[in-house]
Amino acid sequence: MELELRHLKTIRAIAEAGSLTRAATALGLAQPALSAQLRRIERALGGALFERGRYGVRATALGELVLERTRIVLPAVSELQREAARFARTRRDGGRLRLGGTHGPLLGALVDRLADAAPGTSVTTCASWSERELAGLLAEGRLDFALAGVCGSAPPPDTPHLVWEEIAVDPVFVMLADGHPLARGREIELAALADEEWACVPGDGCFADCFTAACARAGFTPRRMYETDTASCVHLVQVGRAVGLCRATFPPTPGLTTRPLAGTPLVWRHLLGWQPAGQRPDIAATVLAQAREAHAGAAARSDSYAHWLAQRRETPDTASGMVP
C-alpha cells in the first residue's frame, strides 16, 4: 500500500483525539474500520505508530516522527491547493474584478473610475462593516481587492500573505446639523463636543478605541453612542439628535455641515489590499492608481477639506495630534 494524504490526515486525527473511539467519531467512521485502516498504515510505514492503553493512545517514537512530518506536509499541500485555485480563477476570470470595501463613498468612486480605465472589465462589489471579514475574503480568493482603513499608524488587518498599500491619509471630520451653533466655525475643538450625543457606523477595527482615547485626551468621555447604518447616522445628525464623525471626503449632503477637528486628533489611512499570489502586477497597479485618483476626486469636491489642506500647508505641525 502506498501512503496517501488521507492516511496522514487519519494519523493526525488519532493523535489529536487521543483515542481511536473519538477519532472514529470525528472522521465519521466505525471504530473497527478505523482500527483496520491504522493497521494497514502501520504496515506500510514499517512499525506501530501508537501505543494502545487503558486511557487512549500515545504516539510511539515512529509515530512522533510521522506526526512531525505530517505537520509540515499537510499545510503545504493545503497552501498549494489554494494557490492553484487562485491561479485558475485569475486565468478564468481575467475580465472580472471583485471589489470589497467598508461602507463609504470611496468604493463607488473606484467602480466609477474603473468603468473608464478598464471598460471591458466586469466589476462586482461586496460591502462589509468588518475589515477582518474583508481580509479573510481576500485570503480565501473570494475577493480580488478590498478597500479598508485604520487610524494613524495602526497596522492593517493581520492576515498573512496579503499586501496593503496606502491610498491616502485624511483627517477625521465632524458632521453637524446646519443649524448647530458650532457649524459656523471653520474648525471645531473636540472638547467643545463633550456634551453631545454621537452617531457612528459599526466596525471591528481600531477606530472606536482611537476615538475614545482622543476624547479622553480632550478631557471627557463620550455620551450616548447611536451605532447604526450610514443613512441613519446622517438622519440623526440632520435632525439634531446627534453629531457624528466622518471621513474628510464625505460628500456634500443637504442639512449637514462637515468641519475639521482642531489639532487633527484623529486621522484615517485609506488602504487597498490584495492577495499577490492571485493577481497580476499590472492589474494591481491599475486598481491602486484608480483608487488614489478616486480619493483625489472626492477630496477636490469638499470645500472643508480644501480649507484644511490649505491650513496644513501653512502650519505643517497641525497634524501632531495624530493617533498612534
Side-chain angles (χ1 to χ4, degrees):
M1 182 187 79
E2 292 187 1
L3 199 64
E4 301 176 16
L5 284 176
R6 62 188 179 92
H7 298 143
L8 296 182
K9 292 177 181 178
T10 296
I11 295 168
R12 181 180 64 182
I14 294 171
E16 289 176 349
S19 80
L20 290 176
T21 301
R22 289 193 292 271
T25 301
L27 293 169
L29 299 173
Q31 183 176 333
L34 179 60
S35 297
Q37 185 181 109
L38 177 58
R39 286 194 295 272
R40 291 194 296 272
I41 295 171
E42 288 177 327
R43 283 198 297 272
L45 292 172
L49 300 178
F50 297 97
E51 295 176 352
R52 283 77 163 172
R54 188 171 169 186
Y55 299 105
V57 298
R58 185 175 64 182
T60 63
L62 176 59
E64 289 290 357
L65 173 65
V66 174
L67 284 168
E68 183 181 348
R69 299 296 189 272
T70 296
R71 295 184 187 104
I72 298 171
V73 171
L74 290 180
V77 172
S78 296
E79 181 62 22
L80 172 61
Q81 291 174 324
R82 286 192 292 270
E83 288 192 12
R86 285 192 294 267
F87 181 81
R89 278 194 298 269
T90 301
R91 301 269 299 186
R92 184 176 61 249
D93 301 331
R96 181 173 63 134
L97 281 178
R98 298 162 300 170
L99 305 180
T102 50
H103 291 253
L106 190 55
L107 181 59
L110 176 56
V111 173
D112 180 39
R113 297 281 313 179
L114 288 172
D116 291 330
T121 301
S122 170
V123 179
T124 60
T125 62
C126 169
S128 172
W129 300 116
S130 170
E131 293 166 0
R132 295 192 187 105
E133 179 186 18
L134 292 172
L137 292 173
L138 284 177
E140 294 166 10
R142 294 165 62 188
L143 285 178
D144 298 310
F145 296 91
L147 293 165
V150 294
C151 306
S153 58
D158 185 18
T159 301
H161 313 306
L162 295 184
V163 169
W164 292 96
E165 286 285 346
E166 187 176 284
I167 298 169
V169 181
D170 285 343
V172 173
F173 280 16
V174 62
M175 56 181 179
L176 315 96
D178 283 344
H180 194 289
L182 295 175
R184 293 190 290 270
R186 274 295 189 177
E187 61 180 22
I188 298 172
E189 295 284 346
L190 183 57
L193 302 167
D195 294 329
E196 300 287 346
E197 295 183 351
W198 296 83
C200 71
V201 295
D204 57 8
C206 60
F207 190 78
D209 291 338
C210 292
F211 171 58
T212 302
C215 292
R217 290 194 296 271
F220 72 96
T221 299
R223 295 178 61 196
R224 177 184 295 179
M225 181 73 71
Y226 298 100
E227 190 174 82
T228 183
D229 61 277
T230 303
S232 296
C233 285
V234 167
H235 175 75
L236 289 170
V237 174
Q238 287 171 324
V239 299
R241 177 66 62 185
V243 299
L245 297 174
C246 65
R247 301 172 192 183
T249 53
F250 194 84
T253 304
L256 283 187
T257 296
T258 63
R259 289 291 182 263
L261 290 168
T264 319
L266 287 163
V267 295
W268 185 254
R269 291 170 57 220
H270 298 275
L271 303 173
L272 180 73
W274 68 90
Q275 167 65 264
Q279 291 300 330
R280 290 179 6 219
D282 59 324
I283 298 296
T286 296
V287 175
L288 180 59
Q290 294 307 315
R292 287 173 172 157
E293 289 292 333
H295 173 271
R301 291 189 291 272
S302 170
D303 291 339
S304 294
Y305 195 14
H307 177 76
W308 178 86
L309 285 173
Q311 280 190 321
R312 193 177 185 205
R313 292 189 193 101
E314 293 169 7
T315 54
D317 61 344
T318 56
S320 60
M322 288 184 180
V323 175

PDB file of all heavy atoms in Angstrom, residues 20-40:
ATOM      1  N   LEU A  20      -8.879   6.024  19.654  1.00  0.00           N
ATOM      2  CA  LEU A  20      -9.459   5.579  18.395  1.00  0.00           C
ATOM      3  C   LEU A  20     -10.955   5.852  18.351  1.00  0.00           C
ATOM      4  O   LEU A  20     -11.509   6.172  17.301  1.00  0.00           O
ATOM      5  CB  LEU A  20      -9.182   4.086  18.195  1.00  0.00           C
ATOM      6  CG  LEU A  20      -7.722   3.715  17.898  1.00  0.00           C
ATOM      7  CD1 LEU A  20      -7.567   2.205  17.828  1.00  0.00           C
ATOM      8  CD2 LEU A  20      -7.270   4.336  16.585  1.00  0.00           C
ATOM      9  N   THR A  21     -11.612   5.735  19.505  1.00  0.00           N
ATOM     10  CA  THR A  21     -13.064   5.956  19.538  1.00  0.00           C
ATOM     11  C   THR A  21     -13.411   7.386  19.160  1.00  0.00           C
ATOM     12  O   THR A  21     -14.260   7.641  18.303  1.00  0.00           O
ATOM     13  CB  THR A  21     -13.613   5.643  20.944  1.00  0.00           C
ATOM     14  OG1 THR A  21     -13.306   4.281  21.268  1.00  0.00           O
ATOM     15  CG2 THR A  21     -15.122   5.853  20.984  1.00  0.00           C
ATOM     16  N   ARG A  22     -12.729   8.351  19.796  1.00  0.00           N
ATOM     17  CA  ARG A  22     -13.015   9.753  19.492  1.00  0.00           C
ATOM     18  C   ARG A  22     -12.593  10.103  18.073  1.00  0.00           C
ATOM     19  O   ARG A  22     -13.256  10.888  17.382  1.00  0.00           O
ATOM     20  CB  ARG A  22     -12.310  10.663  20.505  1.00  0.00           C
ATOM     21  CG  ARG A  22     -12.937  10.614  21.900  1.00  0.00           C
ATOM     22  CD  ARG A  22     -12.432  11.752  22.770  1.00  0.00           C
ATOM     23  NE  ARG A  22     -11.013  11.599  23.099  1.00  0.00           N
ATOM     24  CZ  ARG A  22     -10.558  10.929  24.150  1.00  0.00           C
ATOM     25  NH1 ARG A  22     -11.408  10.332  24.988  1.00  0.00           N
ATOM     26  NH2 ARG A  22      -9.261  10.850  24.397  1.00  0.00           N
ATOM     27  N   ALA A  23     -11.468   9.545  17.621  1.00  0.00           N
ATOM     28  CA  ALA A  23     -11.022   9.816  16.258  1.00  0.00           C
ATOM     29  C   ALA A  23     -12.010   9.261  15.236  1.00  0.00           C
ATOM     30  O   ALA A  23     -12.294   9.909  14.219  1.00  0.00           O
ATOM     31  CB  ALA A  23      -9.636   9.227  16.029  1.00  0.00           C
ATOM     32  N   ALA A  24     -12.543   8.076  15.500  1.00  0.00           N
ATOM     33  CA  ALA A  24     -13.519   7.479  14.584  1.00  0.00           C
ATOM     34  C   ALA A  24     -14.757   8.368  14.487  1.00  0.00           C
ATOM     35  O   ALA A  24     -15.304   8.583  13.396  1.00  0.00           O
ATOM     36  CB  ALA A  24     -13.894   6.075  15.059  1.00  0.00           C
ATOM     37  N   THR A  25     -15.205   8.893  15.618  1.00  0.00           N
ATOM     38  CA  THR A  25     -16.368   9.796  15.610  1.00  0.00           C
ATOM     39  C   THR A  25     -16.074  11.043  14.789  1.00  0.00           C
ATOM     40  O   THR A  25     -16.896  11.487  13.978  1.00  0.00           O
ATOM     41  CB  THR A  25     -16.745  10.195  17.044  1.00  0.00           C
ATOM     42  OG1 THR A  25     -17.058   9.009  17.793  1.00  0.00           O
ATOM     43  CG2 THR A  25     -17.928  11.142  17.064  1.00  0.00           C
ATOM     44  N   ALA A  26     -14.880  11.642  15.002  1.00  0.00           N
ATOM     45  CA  ALA A  26     -14.524  12.858  14.274  1.00  0.00           C
ATOM     46  C   ALA A  26     -14.419  12.609  12.775  1.00  0.00           C
ATOM     47  O   ALA A  26     -14.753  13.485  11.974  1.00  0.00           O
ATOM     48  CB  ALA A  26     -13.206  13.412  14.809  1.00  0.00           C
ATOM     49  N   LEU A  27     -13.968  11.417  12.392  1.00  0.00           N
ATOM     50  CA  LEU A  27     -13.780  11.105  10.971  1.00  0.00           C
ATOM     51  C   LEU A  27     -15.028  10.514  10.330  1.00  0.00           C
ATOM     52  O   LEU A  27     -15.057  10.304   9.109  1.00  0.00           O
ATOM     53  CB  LEU A  27     -12.612  10.121  10.807  1.00  0.00           C
ATOM     54  CG  LEU A  27     -11.222  10.662  11.158  1.00  0.00           C
ATOM     55  CD1 LEU A  27     -10.210   9.518  11.212  1.00  0.00           C
ATOM     56  CD2 LEU A  27     -10.783  11.713  10.156  1.00  0.00           C
ATOM     57  N   GLY A  28     -16.051  10.234  11.139  1.00  0.00           N
ATOM     58  CA  GLY A  28     -17.285   9.659  10.605  1.00  0.00           C
ATOM     59  C   GLY A  28     -17.125   8.202  10.204  1.00  0.00           C
ATOM     60  O   GLY A  28     -17.771   7.742   9.261  1.00  0.00           O
ATOM     61  N   LEU A  29     -16.268   7.468  10.926  1.00  0.00           N
ATOM     62  CA  LEU A  29     -16.023   6.062  10.640  1.00  0.00           C
ATOM     63  C   LEU A  29     -16.421   5.207  11.834  1.00  0.00           C
ATOM     64  O   LEU A  29     -16.494   5.681  12.968  1.00  0.00           O
ATOM     65  CB  LEU A  29     -14.533   5.820  10.340  1.00  0.00           C
ATOM     66  CG  LEU A  29     -13.931   6.547   9.135  1.00  0.00           C
ATOM     67  CD1 LEU A  29     -12.419   6.319   9.112  1.00  0.00           C
ATOM     68  CD2 LEU A  29     -14.554   6.052   7.842  1.00  0.00           C
ATOM     69  N   ALA A  30     -16.649   3.923  11.567  1.00  0.00           N
ATOM     70  CA  ALA A  30     -16.815   2.970  12.663  1.00  0.00           C
ATOM     71  C   ALA A  30     -15.441   2.669  13.236  1.00  0.00           C
ATOM     72  O   ALA A  30     -14.441   2.631  12.508  1.00  0.00           O
ATOM     73  CB  ALA A  30     -17.483   1.704  12.163  1.00  0.00           C
ATOM     74  N   GLN A  31     -15.370   2.420  14.553  1.00  0.00           N
ATOM     75  CA  GLN A  31     -14.051   2.185  15.155  1.00  0.00           C
ATOM     76  C   GLN A  31     -13.337   0.975  14.556  1.00  0.00           C
ATOM     77  O   GLN A  31     -12.118   1.049  14.305  1.00  0.00           O
ATOM     78  CB  GLN A  31     -14.177   2.025  16.671  1.00  0.00           C
ATOM     79  CG  GLN A  31     -12.805   1.857  17.327  1.00  0.00           C
ATOM     80  CD  GLN A  31     -12.885   1.790  18.842  1.00  0.00           C
ATOM     81  OE1 GLN A  31     -13.812   2.328  19.432  1.00  0.00           O
ATOM     82  NE2 GLN A  31     -11.925   1.131  19.454  1.00  0.00           N
ATOM     83  N   PRO A  32     -14.022  -0.149  14.294  1.00  0.00           N
ATOM     84  CA  PRO A  32     -13.302  -1.289  13.678  1.00  0.00           C
ATOM     85  C   PRO A  32     -12.688  -0.923  12.328  1.00  0.00           C
ATOM     86  O   PRO A  32     -11.579  -1.358  12.000  1.00  0.00           O
ATOM     87  CB  PRO A  32     -14.400  -2.353  13.532  1.00  0.00           C
ATOM     88  CG  PRO A  32     -15.385  -2.025  14.611  1.00  0.00           C
ATOM     89  CD  PRO A  32     -15.398  -0.524  14.674  1.00  0.00           C
ATOM     90  N   ALA A  33     -13.408  -0.100  11.544  1.00  0.00           N
ATOM     91  CA  ALA A  33     -12.873   0.306  10.237  1.00  0.00           C
ATOM     92  C   ALA A  33     -11.638   1.184  10.410  1.00  0.00           C
ATOM     93  O   ALA A  33     -10.649   1.035   9.670  1.00  0.00           O
ATOM     94  CB  ALA A  33     -13.944   1.049   9.451  1.00  0.00           C
ATOM     95  N   LEU A  34     -11.668   2.087  11.402  1.00  0.00           N
ATOM     96  CA  LEU A  34     -10.504   2.933  11.644  1.00  0.00           C
ATOM     97  C   LEU A  34      -9.326   2.110  12.139  1.00  0.00           C
ATOM     98  O   LEU A  34      -8.174   2.331  11.730  1.00  0.00           O
ATOM     99  CB  LEU A  34     -10.851   4.025  12.662  1.00  0.00           C
ATOM    100  CG  LEU A  34      -9.711   4.977  13.030  1.00  0.00           C
ATOM    101  CD1 LEU A  34      -9.200   5.704  11.794  1.00  0.00           C
ATOM    102  CD2 LEU A  34     -10.162   5.982  14.082  1.00  0.00           C
ATOM    103  N   SER A  35      -9.584   1.135  13.018  1.00  0.00           N
ATOM    104  CA  SER A  35      -8.509   0.273  13.522  1.00  0.00           C
ATOM    105  C   SER A  35      -7.866  -0.505  12.380  1.00  0.00           C
ATOM    106  O   SER A  35      -6.635  -0.627  12.313  1.00  0.00           O
ATOM    107  CB  SER A  35      -9.061  -0.690  14.580  1.00  0.00           C
ATOM    108  OG  SER A  35      -9.549   0.012  15.704  1.00  0.00           O
ATOM    109  N   ALA A  36      -8.693  -1.021  11.474  1.00  0.00           N
ATOM    110  CA  ALA A  36      -8.154  -1.785  10.339  1.00  0.00           C
ATOM    111  C   ALA A  36      -7.326  -0.872   9.435  1.00  0.00           C
ATOM    112  O   ALA A  36      -6.252  -1.263   8.944  1.00  0.00           O
ATOM    113  CB  ALA A  36      -9.307  -2.421   9.557  1.00  0.00           C
ATOM    114  N   GLN A  37      -7.806   0.347   9.215  1.00  0.00           N
ATOM    115  CA  GLN A  37      -7.052   1.289   8.385  1.00  0.00           C
ATOM    116  C   GLN A  37      -5.713   1.634   9.027  1.00  0.00           C
ATOM    117  O   GLN A  37      -4.690   1.722   8.349  1.00  0.00           O
ATOM    118  CB  GLN A  37      -7.876   2.556   8.162  1.00  0.00           C
ATOM    119  CG  GLN A  37      -7.213   3.554   7.211  1.00  0.00           C
ATOM    120  CD  GLN A  37      -8.049   4.808   7.034  1.00  0.00           C
ATOM    121  OE1 GLN A  37      -7.683   5.864   7.521  1.00  0.00           O
ATOM    122  NE2 GLN A  37      -9.180   4.686   6.339  1.00  0.00           N
ATOM    123  N   LEU A  38      -5.709   1.830  10.351  1.00  0.00           N
ATOM    124  CA  LEU A  38      -4.463   2.153  11.042  1.00  0.00           C
ATOM    125  C   LEU A  38      -3.463   1.006  10.916  1.00  0.00           C
ATOM    126  O   LEU A  38      -2.265   1.240  10.716  1.00  0.00           O
ATOM    127  CB  LEU A  38      -4.743   2.460  12.510  1.00  0.00           C
ATOM    128  CG  LEU A  38      -3.521   2.753  13.378  1.00  0.00           C
ATOM    129  CD1 LEU A  38      -2.727   3.944  12.835  1.00  0.00           C
ATOM    130  CD2 LEU A  38      -3.932   3.008  14.829  1.00  0.00           C
ATOM    131  N   ARG A  39      -3.943  -0.223  11.021  1.00  0.00           N
ATOM    132  CA  ARG A  39      -3.025  -1.363  10.880  1.00  0.00           C
ATOM    133  C   ARG A  39      -2.393  -1.377   9.485  1.00  0.00           C
ATOM    134  O   ARG A  39      -1.192  -1.668   9.341  1.00  0.00           O
ATOM    135  CB  ARG A  39      -3.775  -2.672  11.141  1.00  0.00           C
ATOM    136  CG  ARG A  39      -4.083  -2.917  12.616  1.00  0.00           C
ATOM    137  CD  ARG A  39      -4.516  -4.354  12.858  1.00  0.00           C
ATOM    138  NE  ARG A  39      -5.789  -4.671  12.204  1.00  0.00           N
ATOM    139  CZ  ARG A  39      -6.986  -4.487  12.754  1.00  0.00           C
ATOM    140  NH1 ARG A  39      -7.066  -3.982  13.984  1.00  0.00           N
ATOM    141  NH2 ARG A  39      -8.081  -4.817  12.089  1.00  0.00           N
ATOM    142  N   ARG A  40      -3.167  -1.078   8.451  1.00  0.00           N
ATOM    143  CA  ARG A  40      -2.616  -1.042   7.090  1.00  0.00           C
ATOM    144  C   ARG A  40      -1.574   0.067   6.962  1.00  0.00           C
ATOM    145  O   ARG A  40      -0.528  -0.111   6.330  1.00  0.00           O
ATOM    146  CB  ARG A  40      -3.742  -0.845   6.074  1.00  0.00           C
ATOM    147  CG  ARG A  40      -4.676  -2.027   5.931  1.00  0.00           C
ATOM    148  CD  ARG A  40      -5.546  -1.914   4.680  1.00  0.00           C
ATOM    149  NE  ARG A  40      -6.440  -0.765   4.739  1.00  0.00           N
ATOM    150  CZ  ARG A  40      -7.659  -0.797   5.287  1.00  0.00           C
ATOM    151  NH1 ARG A  40      -8.111  -1.911   5.855  1.00  0.00           N
ATOM    152  NH2 ARG A  40      -8.420   0.266   5.272  1.00  0.00           N
TER     153      ARG A  40
END
